[in-house]
Amino acid sequence: MANSKFEYVRKFELPDSCLPNVWMVVRIDGKGFHKFADAHEYQKPNDDRGLNLMNFCAQQTMNEFKDITMAYGESDEYSFILRKDTTLFNRRASKISTNIVSFFSSCFVFYWTKFFGTYELKYPPTFDARVVCYPSEKNLRDYLSWRQADCHINNLYNTCFWALVHSGQTNKEAEDTLKGTFAADKNELLFTRFGINYNTVSDMYKKGSFIYWSEVEETIVRMTPKGHGDSTMVEREFVRKRRQPTFFFGDIISDTFWSDHPQLLAV
Amino acid sequence: MANSKFEYVRKFELPDSCLPNVWMVVRIDGKGFHKFADAHEYQKPNDDRGLNLMNFCAQQTMNEFKDITMAYGESDEYSFILRKDTTLFNRRASKISTNIVSFFSSCFVFYWTKFFGTYELKYPPTFDARVVCYPSEKNLRDYLSWRQADCHINNLYNTCFWALVHSGQTNKEAEDTLKGTFAADKNELLFTRFGINYNTVSDMYKKGSFIYWSEVEETIVRMTPKGHGDSTMVEREFVRKRRQPTFFFGDIISDTFWSDHPQLLAV
Amino acid sequence: MANSKFEYVRKFELPDSCLPNVWMVVRIDGKGFHKFADAHEYQKPNDDRGLNLMNFCAQQTMNEFKDITMAYGESDEYSFILRKDTTLFNRRASKISTNIVSFFSSCFVFYWTKFFGTYELKYPPTFDARVVCYPSEKNLRDYLSWRQADCHINNLYNTCFWALVHSGQTNKEAEDTLKGTFAADKNELLFTRFGINYNTVSDMYKKGSFIYWSEVEETIVRMTPKGHGDSTMVEREFVRKRRQPTFFFGDIISDTFWSDHPQLLAV
Amino acid sequence: MANSKFEYVRKFELPDSCLPNVWMVVRIDGKGFHKFADAHEYQKPNDDRGLNLMNFCAQQTMNEFKDITMAYGESDEYSFILRKDTTLFNRRASKISTNIVSFFSSCFVFYWTKFFGTYELKYPPTFDARVVCYPSEKNLRDYLSWRQADCHINNLYNTCFWALVHSGQTNKEAEDTLKGTFAADKNELLFTRFGINYNTVSDMYKKGSFIYWSEVEETIVRMTPKGHGDSTMVEREFVRKRRQPTFFFGDIISDTFWSDHPQLLAV
């Protein structure tokens, strides 16, 4: 049976390469994660198991796709930034986004028990992904600022909302309480009604999780000959440098972090 | 902190909707599955556990995304055909492909033990996905024929190759034995050297797995009042119709299957 | 001076081929033609010189790009339909649309005097163009119906509007007179106030201009030897068939025209 | 007749906006201009009438589309650079390219006699157009360098080729003479065989035509009251500043021009 007479159908696949010399950002986003969080009894406003699982999957994703230079995550979403000059999958948007979202989704299920222990995963989760291109350093930093500002706004709101609900208000009452309030009002409310100083809330909740490659030194032990003519094998410590995806739970909106890490925007 | 000054970055996301009134085909494809199959000791040329897992995940995918009307799988790939008039995710190619490939990947890990039992999944698998649009019935059928012809060619080759290898040839020797042979030669080789009548090989191996929605009757048992004034509850059988993703392991290249199922190409 | 170090910039040009096996429609549209018509004292509601110039340019365009099988024009716009299987410019949307709109624009200026005589063209006109793909015969016919219905609605309105204005109403008064009227009202108004039976209005105004390739016989005269041994040259008439872009000013919404010309939708 | 049931066909038009914050370059290119030049007896290697007409049309195009900040032309092609932040036609590639190429083509025919006098334009010329996006200043300058290097290479070759042909060689002989020669060889050939010092060749031929907006002062005369209580009207000269598309026939590859005109890359 000849395959050739059907092969013309390949020509219907149209190319979708991204412009060269722009940063490609792949943002993955949980589908129906409100329901997913309820079904798996996530703690509110933040569930450490869930966030740590997301963070771990993101690290694995950076290890798998080395052209990802940075990533930023909050809640059920993660953004992966690829080198401006990456040639991964010939810069084809669909190849890049589907490979990343598929691997991330696999990881989420695969590493579930690492963070949730014996707590059962009830059904397979879904994430979507999109590719957005940013031509300038300013655009890219504004993108990351946009996500971090989003994280801040949501987390402050959710911290108040769940404090109110845990104190006995219904969801509707809590919403009404918070309607029209500004950040200062919310800080005040947390402090006066619940004794919570928002400044002391975990940075991972307030700022989200930023990951970048940084060089770490690690000490390894190898068996080597004793030397000076003596071939007896002995343990010796070596220090070697290794690049690894490293977390930063701080401010990525202002300039400080970026001037401390100029290499991140150089590629 | 106002989010608004960063929000302009949303405008960098460009639309990617598919043309209306064409069939969208999402084909997912295992990444590095040669290595994956080796790492998990897949049986050659076909591993039932692996194929059945793929098939089960594809069924789940159809249940999750009801606008998938048919699917066809072979080896480590699966094609999902969406209704011509689907408005799923506003026909946005990236949304459709990433949701499907993410869910499928999650399922693969989630349902692994259902098919592999205690055999450990060693690392999270990755699939890619692409969307291809087909405007005419002929184009769509030729696409499916292309995949089924591909399945046939590969399976006949692999059946010979692994028979030779299992009989003691090296991979290189088996390749050389098969170089330049036609289908008839391969059938002959299988029969004379290994006593295998290729016709009797499992249809799932030879033809791949086609899935479509079909109506099945199922008998359910419900407790109902006995009636005629007697409110004692008794078990009664009911027959109800339900649509479910159903397998067909036969020929989808010739007309027979399609004239028997005209509704499949009607949408 | 080597050119090679700059040549990488070619890679920034991204492909834009249209899906195979769909009809590509290129619609060109006059930019600022309300002003253009005023500046060149077009007769209202329809200017024969202007319409005939558009029609002639469209014919030339079909002669220049033979893969255009049909065209439909009204007012300052023209739609060109390309064969479903055209490989013109590898089906690249930008190549196809810019070539057609450039040639049409050149023609409009080049042939101006053929229709406007000594009436001076005051400035160079501009047209834009877009490519839209239609996968099914129904979609394509609905596209053409959409344009012809548009022509009808506009022409009926404009015929009334300018009759009112020529009879002394201001533009504002004429608009008010027509506000909320239906087709029947407009026909009535034309007949009772201006003695115009809309049915007798020129078909080119009411239905727009459809062009398709049709075979015509033409008689040509050639000098040939008399024959029977006599080599004296004499004039002889020959009939030859030639395909030429031919106008149809009738209904292309109902089925009649299409069942009379089945070859038009076959390619 | 309701138009509404056909209007769904509008949805088949897919969006094609360019990424924000990148330079869009629209390059138009003559189609079949070798034949066109022959048909209109263009002087070889350069025809001043033809080049000046191209240049004039490009100036008109910049006046018509003010968001074009620069343009570069050579031979039968012209590149127009739009402001990085232009919102012209919502940055839709097809709208931008078709409007520009249509206007340019119209101008070419419209202004023909301004440069060719009574020499007849024999048929309507065609140009194509494409849009290419460049994200960085370096990419944009490299694009312009690429075109100017192309101009140089072609002009040096053509100057030699036509000198040889005008001296009696056939086209084939001239090609063979030049095969494998480097720039230095060509300069030498021009000087020793034809007494042409290539350095003294017109810059417009060697470097092409670059156009940018520059501010010029112009003196205008207006009738104004004499003043000091005397209302007699008298002529008075005023100097006003006006931006106009201005030519530069020099080097745009090295840094000098750009450091002298920093505003050009600022937008």
Side-chain angles (χ1 to χ4, degrees):
Chain A
M1 191 183 336
N3 203 1
S4 52
K5 71 171 168 170
F6 303 129
E7 241 181 321
Y8 79 92
V9 297
R10 301 180 86 150
K11 293 192 187 147
F12 287 70
E13 185 179 350
L14 301 178
D16 68 340
S17 290
C18 289
L19 195 65
N21 198 29
V22 298
W23 281 285
M24 284 182 263
V25 177
V26 178
R27 181 166 77 250
I28 68 166
D29 204 0
K31 186 193 170 199
F33 258 57
H34 194 81
K35 174 174 160 259
F36 184 89
D38 286 348
H40 294 87
E41 299 170 275
Y42 273 40
Q43 280 188 281
K44 300 302 177 69
N46 289 289
D47 187 287
D48 278 327
R49 300 163 306 168
L51 291 175
N52 288 331
L53 173 56
M54 290 290 288
N55 283 348
F56 187 76
C57 293
Q59 271 183 315
Q60 296 306 108
T61 304
M62 289 180 72
N63 278 320
E64 182 79 6
F65 301 98
K66 304 284 191 206
D67 278 6
I68 299 173
T69 57
M70 310 175 245
Y72 175 77
E74 52 147 336
S75 184
D76 61 346
E77 72 166 56
Y78 239 101
S79 299
F80 297 97
I81 289 96
L82 287 131
R83 302 170 55 88
K84 229 178 0 177
D85 62 357
T86 185
T87 55
L88 183 66
F89 303 120
N90 288 319
R91 300 179 74 85
R92 289 162 61 190
S94 59
K95 275 281 198 181
I96 290 172
S97 59
T98 58
N99 269 282
I100 287 178
V101 80
S102 169
F103 181 75
F104 191 95
S105 305
S106 279
C107 283
F108 194 94
V109 182
F110 190 81
Y111 295 114
W112 174 266
T113 53
K114 188 178 175 78
F115 296 91
F116 281 83
T118 57
Y119 190 95
E120 188 201 16
L121 175 60
K122 297 194 173 55
Y123 57 85
T126 308
F127 296 85
D128 70 20
R130 72 200 69 202
V131 178
V132 189
C133 294
Y134 291 104
S136 78
E137 193 178 301
K138 179 178 186 309
N139 296 149
L140 180 65
R141 279 194 50 192
D142 284 348
Y143 172 80
L144 290 166
S145 298
W146 176 51
R147 299 324 301 146
Q148 189 166 68
D150 182 78
C151 174
H152 169 76
I153 291 164
N154 290 337
N155 191 62
L156 181 54
Y157 182 92
N158 290 337
T159 305
C160 294
F161 179 85
W162 288 105
L164 291 165
V165 168
H166 294 150
S167 78
Q169 289 197 356
T170 63
N171 286 11
K172 180 71 179 64
E173 288 164 354
E175 275 168 31
D176 289 343
T177 305
L178 294 172
K179 191 166 288 172
T181 58
F182 292 102
D185 306 321
K186 295 198 187 74
N187 278 294
E188 180 71 11
L189 178 147
L190 284 175
F191 194 67
T192 54
R193 289 185 56 170
F194 305 106
I196 299 171
N197 179 350
Y198 189 69
N199 289 329
T200 63
V201 165
S202 156
D203 279 335
M204 182 169 77
Y205 303 163
K206 287 185 303 188
K207 299 291 185 190
S209 303
F210 181 83
I211 320 180
Y212 64 106
W213 288 98
S214 90
E215 211 160 64
V216 292
E217 294 195 342
E218 59 182 9
T219 304
I220 53 166
V221 174
R222 283 218 192 99
M223 299 302 287
T224 48
K226 206 165 180 179
H228 302 294
D230 185 348
S231 63
T232 320
M233 297 301 275
V234 291
E235 284 190 353
R236 276 226 181 75
E237 290 192 345
F238 290 86
V239 173
R240 71 169 177 198
K241 290 182 173 173
R242 203 165 56 82
R243 280 161 45 79
Q244 69 176 28
T246 306
F247 283 101
F248 172 68
F249 302 108
D251 178 0
I252 54 169
I253 297 181
S254 60
D255 292 335
T256 316
F257 175 80
W258 300 103
S259 26
D260 290 351
H261 301 81
Q263 80 288 1
L264 290 178
L265 295 170
V267 288
Chain B
M1 191 183 335
N3 203 0
S4 53
K5 72 171 168 169
F6 303 129
E7 240 179 324
Y8 80 92
V9 298
R10 302 180 87 151
K11 294 192 186 147
F12 287 70
E13 187 181 349
L14 301 178
D16 68 342
S17 291
C18 289
L19 196 64
N21 198 30
V22 298
W23 281 285
M24 283 182 264
V25 176
V26 179
R27 181 168 78 249
I28 68 165
D29 203 359
K31 186 191 170 200
F33 257 57
H34 194 82
K35 172 173 160 260
F36 184 89
D38 286 347
H40 294 87
E41 299 169 277
Y42 272 42
Q43 280 187 284
K44 299 301 175 72
N46 290 288
D47 186 288
D48 278 326
R49 301 162 306 168
L51 292 175
N52 288 331
L53 172 56
M54 290 291 288
N55 283 349
F56 187 76
C57 293
Q59 272 184 314
Q60 297 307 107
T61 303
M62 289 179 73
N63 279 320
E64 182 80 5
F65 303 97
K66 304 284 191 205
D67 279 5
I68 299 172
T69 57
M70 311 175 244
Y72 175 78
E74 53 148 335
S75 182
D76 61 347
E77 72 166 56
Y78 239 101
S79 299
F80 297 97
I81 289 99
L82 287 130
R83 301 170 54 89
K84 229 178 358 176
D85 62 358
T86 186
T87 55
L88 183 66
F89 303 121
N90 288 319
R91 299 177 75 84
R92 288 163 60 191
S94 59
K95 276 280 198 183
I96 289 172
S97 59
T98 57
N99 269 281
I100 287 178
V101 81
S102 168
F103 181 75
F104 191 96
S105 306
S106 279
C107 283
F108 194 95
V109 181
F110 191 80
Y111 295 114
W112 174 266
T113 52
K114 188 178 175 76
F115 296 91
F116 282 83
T118 57
Y119 191 95
E120 187 201 15
L121 175 60
K122 297 195 172 56
Y123 58 84
T126 308
F127 295 86
D128 70 20
R130 72 200 70 200
V131 178
V132 189
C133 294
Y134 291 103
S136 78
E137 194 178 300
K138 179 179 186 305
N139 297 149
L140 180 65
R141 278 193 51 192
D142 284 348
Y143 172 80
L144 290 166
S145 297
W146 176 51
R147 299 324 302 147
Q148 189 167 65
D150 181 79
C151 174
H152 168 76
I153 291 164
N154 290 335
N155 191 62
L156 180 54
Y157 183 92
N158 290 336
T159 305
C160 294
F161 178 86
W162 289 104
L164 291 165
V165 168
H166 293 150
S167 79
Q169 288 197 356
T170 63
N171 287 13
K172 179 74 178 58
E173 288 164 354
E175 274 168 33
D176 289 343
T177 304
L178 294 170
K179 191 164 288 171
T181 59
F182 293 101
D185 306 321
K186 296 199 186 72
N187 277 293
E188 180 71 11
L189 177 147
L190 285 174
F191 193 68
T192 54
R193 289 187 57 170
F194 304 106
I196 299 172
N197 180 350
Y198 189 70
N199 290 328
T200 63
V201 165
S202 157
D203 279 335
M204 182 170 79
Y205 304 162
K206 285 185 303 187
K207 298 292 184 189
S209 304
F210 182 83
I211 319 179
Y212 63 106
W213 289 99
S214 92
E215 213 161 60
V216 292
E217 294 194 341
E218 59 181 9
T219 304
I220 52 165
V221 174
R222 282 222 193 97
M223 300 300 289
T224 49
K226 206 165 180 180
H228 302 294
D230 184 347
S231 62
T232 321
M233 298 300 276
V234 293
E235 284 190 355
R236 275 223 183 77
E237 289 192 347
F238 291 85
V239 172
R240 71 170 177 196
K241 289 181 173 172
R242 201 164 57 81
R243 279 163 46 79
Q244 68 176 29
T246 306
F247 283 101
F248 173 68
F249 302 108
D251 179 359
I252 54 170
I253 296 181
S254 60
D255 293 335
T256 317
F257 175 79
W258 301 104
S259 27
D260 289 351
H261 301 81
Q263 80 286 2
L264 290 178
L265 294 170
V267 289
Chain C
M1 192 185 332
N3 203 2
S4 52
K5 72 170 168 170
F6 302 130
E7 242 181 320
Y8 79 92
V9 298
R10 302 181 86 150
K11 294 192 187 147
F12 287 70
E13 185 180 350
L14 302 177
D16 68 342
S17 291
C18 288
L19 196 65
N21 199 29
V22 298
W23 282 285
M24 284 182 262
V25 176
V26 179
R27 181 167 78 249
I28 67 166
D29 203 359
K31 186 193 170 199
F33 258 57
H34 194 80
K35 175 173 159 263
F36 184 88
D38 286 347
H40 295 87
E41 300 170 275
Y42 272 40
Q43 280 188 281
K44 300 299 175 73
N46 289 290
D47 187 286
D48 278 327
R49 301 163 306 169
L51 290 175
N52 288 331
L53 172 55
M54 290 289 288
N55 283 349
F56 188 76
C57 293
Q59 271 183 316
Q60 297 306 109
T61 303
M62 289 179 73
N63 279 321
E64 182 80 7
F65 302 98
K66 304 283 191 207
D67 278 5
I68 300 173
T69 57
M70 311 174 244
Y72 175 78
E74 53 146 336
S75 183
D76 60 347
E77 72 167 56
Y78 239 101
S79 299
F80 298 98
I81 289 97
L82 287 131
R83 303 170 55 87
K84 225 175 9 173
D85 62 357
T86 185
T87 55
L88 183 67
F89 303 121
N90 287 319
R91 300 178 74 84
R92 287 162 61 191
S94 58
K95 276 280 197 183
I96 290 171
S97 59
T98 58
N99 269 282
I100 287 179
V101 80
S102 168
F103 181 74
F104 191 94
S105 305
S106 279
C107 284
F108 194 94
V109 181
F110 190 80
Y111 295 114
W112 174 266
T113 53
K114 186 177 176 76
F115 296 90
F116 282 83
T118 57
Y119 190 96
E120 188 200 15
L121 175 61
K122 295 195 172 56
Y123 57 84
T126 308
F127 296 86
D128 69 19
R130 73 199 70 203
V131 178
V132 189
C133 294
Y134 290 105
S136 78
E137 194 178 299
K138 179 179 185 307
N139 296 149
L140 180 65
R141 278 194 51 193
D142 284 348
Y143 172 80
L144 290 166
S145 297
W146 176 51
R147 300 324 300 148
Q148 189 167 65
D150 181 79
C151 173
H152 169 75
I153 291 164
N154 290 336
N155 190 61
L156 181 54
Y157 183 91
N158 290 336
T159 306
C160 295
F161 178 85
W162 288 104
L164 291 164
V165 168
H166 293 151
S167 78
Q169 289 197 358
T170 63
N171 286 11
K172 179 74 177 61
E173 288 164 353
E175 275 168 31
D176 289 344
T177 304
L178 295 171
K179 191 166 287 172
T181 59
F182 292 102
D185 307 320
K186 295 198 188 72
N187 278 293
E188 181 70 11
L189 178 147
L190 285 175
F191 193 67
T192 55
R193 289 184 58 169
F194 304 106
I196 298 171
N197 180 350
Y198 189 70
N199 289 329
T200 63
V201 165
S202 157
D203 279 335
M204 182 170 78
Y205 303 163
K206 286 185 303 188
K207 298 291 184 190
S209 304
F210 181 83
I211 320 180
Y212 65 106
W213 289 98
S214 92
E215 212 160 62
V216 292
E217 293 195 340
E218 58 181 10
T219 305
I220 53 165
V221 174
R222 281 219 193 102
M223 299 300 288
T224 49
K226 208 167 178 179
H228 301 294
D230 185 347
S231 64
T232 320
M233 299 299 276
V234 293
E235 285 190 354
R236 275 222 183 78
E237 291 193 343
F238 290 85
V239 173
R240 71 168 177 196
K241 289 182 174 173
R242 202 166 55 82
R243 280 162 43 80
Q244 69 176 27
T246 306
F247 283 101
F248 173 67
F249 302 109
D251 179 0
I252 55 169
I253 297 181
S254 60
D255 293 334
T256 317
F257 175 80
W258 300 103
S259 25
D260 289 351
H261 301 82
Q263 81 286 2
L264 290 178
L265 294 170
V267 288
Chain D
M1 190 183 337
N3 202 1
S4 51
K5 72 170 167 170
F6 303 129
E7 241 181 320
Y8 80 91
V9 297
R10 302 181 87 151
K11 293 191 187 148
F12 288 70
E13 185 181 350
L14 302 178
D16 68 342
S17 290
C18 288
L19 195 65
N21 198 30
V22 298
W23 282 285
M24 284 182 264
V25 176
V26 179
R27 181 167 76 250
I28 68 166
D29 203 359
K31 185 193 169 200
F33 258 57
H34 193 82
K35 175 174 157 260
F36 184 88
D38 286 347
H40 295 87
E41 299 170 276
Y42 272 40
Q43 281 189 282
K44 298 303 177 70
N46 289 289
D47 186 288
D48 278 327
R49 300 163 306 168
L51 291 176
N52 288 332
L53 172 56
M54 290 290 289
N55 283 349
F56 188 75
C57 293
Q59 272 184 315
Q60 297 306 107
T61 303
M62 289 180 72
N63 279 319
E64 183 79 5
F65 302 98
K66 304 284 192 207
D67 278 6
I68 299 173
T69 57
M70 310 176 244
Y72 175 76
E74 52 146 336
S75 183
D76 60 348
E77 72 165 57
Y78 239 101
S79 298
F80 297 98
I81 289 99
L82 287 131
R83 301 171 55 88
K84 229 178 0 176
D85 62 358
T86 186
T87 55
L88 183 66
F89 302 120
N90 287 320
R91 300 179 74 85
R92 287 162 62 192
S94 59
K95 276 281 198 181
I96 289 172
S97 59
T98 57
N99 269 283
I100 286 178
V101 80
S102 168
F103 181 75
F104 191 95
S105 305
S106 279
C107 283
F108 194 94
V109 182
F110 191 80
Y111 294 114
W112 174 267
T113 53
K114 188 178 175 75
F115 296 91
F116 282 83
T118 56
Y119 189 95
E120 188 200 15
L121 176 60
K122 296 194 172 59
Y123 58 84
T126 308
F127 295 86
D128 70 20
R130 72 199 69 201
V131 178
V132 189
C133 294
Y134 291 104
S136 78
E137 194 178 300
K138 179 177 185 311
N139 296 149
L140 180 65
R141 279 193 50 192
D142 284 347
Y143 172 79
L144 290 166
S145 297
W146 177 50
R147 300 324 301 147
Q148 189 167 65
D150 181 78
C151 173
H152 168 76
I153 290 163
N154 290 336
N155 190 61
L156 181 55
Y157 183 91
N158 290 336
T159 305
C160 294
F161 179 85
W162 289 105
L164 291 165
V165 169
H166 292 151
S167 78
Q169 289 197 357
T170 63
N171 286 11
K172 180 73 177 61
E173 287 164 353
E175 275 167 32
D176 289 344
T177 305
L178 294 171
K179 191 165 289 171
T181 59
F182 293 102
D185 306 320
K186 296 199 186 73
N187 277 294
E188 181 70 11
L189 178 148
L190 284 175
F191 193 67
T192 54
R193 289 185 58 170
F194 304 106
I196 298 171
N197 180 350
Y198 189 69
N199 289 329
T200 63
V201 164
S202 157
D203 279 335
M204 182 169 77
Y205 303 162
K206 286 184 302 186
K207 299 291 183 188
S209 304
F210 181 83
I211 320 181
Y212 65 106
W213 288 98
S214 92
E215 213 161 61
V216 291
E217 294 195 341
E218 60 182 7
T219 305
I220 52 166
V221 174
R222 281 219 194 99
M223 299 301 290
T224 48
K226 206 165 178 180
H228 301 293
D230 185 346
S231 64
T232 320
M233 298 300 275
V234 292
E235 284 190 351
R236 275 222 184 77
E237 290 192 345
F238 290 86
V239 173
R240 71 171 176 196
K241 288 179 174 175
R242 201 165 56 82
R243 279 162 46 79
Q244 68 176 29
T246 305
F247 283 101
F248 173 68
F249 302 108
D251 178 0
I252 54 170
I253 296 181
S254 61
D255 292 334
T256 317
F257 175 78
W258 300 103
S259 26
D260 288 352
H261 301 82
Q263 81 287 2
L264 290 178
L265 295 170
V267 289

